[in-house]
Amino acid sequence: MKRVKLLILSFIAVSFFIACNPEKEFDPALLSGKWKQGQLYEVYKSDGTGYTWDESDDVTEDEAQAFEWELNKDQLLQIHSMEMGGRIPKTYTITELNSIMLQYQDSYGTNYNFTKVQ
């Protein structure tokens, strides 16, 4: 009898944890387009490629850094291609994504809030 009570209690605890921490899932199609936060721009193409530049660093769109991207539920992975052949992965957790707004957070707790411009 104790075993059954323990199993039921464990099931309730796990169910409560899952209900309180739902995993969000975002549509990758909403990510396609040009996004802007201040002078920072990111462009996501539907083929899983993109590029970024920051005009505050005196970098133009023609000088943008290329990346590949993948969206799995709420996890956004960008793999940046370096000029000398290196690849740098960056992972973000998307907190909001719709047709006009993109919000994500990096692993250091920095929040990014983009508005779609195209």
Side-chain angles (χ1 to χ4, degrees):
M1 188 67 173
K2 283 185 177 183
R3 185 180 227 166
V4 172
K5 287 181 182 179
L6 184 60
L7 284 172
I8 292 172
L9 191 57
S10 297
F11 178 76
I12 291 171
V14 168
S15 298
F16 180 75
F17 177 78
I18 291 171
C20 290
N21 297 305
E23 195 172 71
K24 292 183 178 181
E25 188 164 346
F26 295 100
D27 182 1
L30 289 172
L31 203 51
S32 293
K34 184 188 247 184
W35 299 88
K36 177 181 181 182
Q37 174 185 275
Q39 292 183 299
L40 174 63
Y41 292 85
E42 292 185 347
V43 174
Y44 295 86
K45 298 180 179 181
S46 59
D47 65 358
T49 64
Y51 54 95
T52 183
W53 73 98
D54 190 343
E55 292 178 347
S56 68
D57 289 335
D58 201 26
V59 177
T60 66
E61 186 171 0
D62 292 335
E63 305 165 313
Q65 181 180 53
F67 63 82
E68 297 172 16
W69 66 271
E70 181 180 307
L71 179 59
N72 185 8
K73 297 188 180 181
D74 66 348
Q75 296 300 298
L76 174 61
L77 172 65
Q78 294 178 352
I79 302 174
H80 291 258
S81 302
M82 305 307 293
E83 287 183 23
M84 300 302 284
R87 295 168 52 87
I88 299 174
K90 297 181 180 182
T91 304
Y92 303 99
T93 300
I94 293 182
T95 54
E96 187 71 38
L97 175 60
N98 57 45
S99 61
I100 59 170
M101 184 183 349
L102 166 61
Q103 296 178 341
Y104 61 71
Q105 185 178 63
D106 67 16
S107 58
Y108 301 106
T110 304
N111 291 304
Y112 297 85
N113 300 296
F114 291 87
T115 303
K116 195 169 218 173
V117 292
Q118 284 183 339

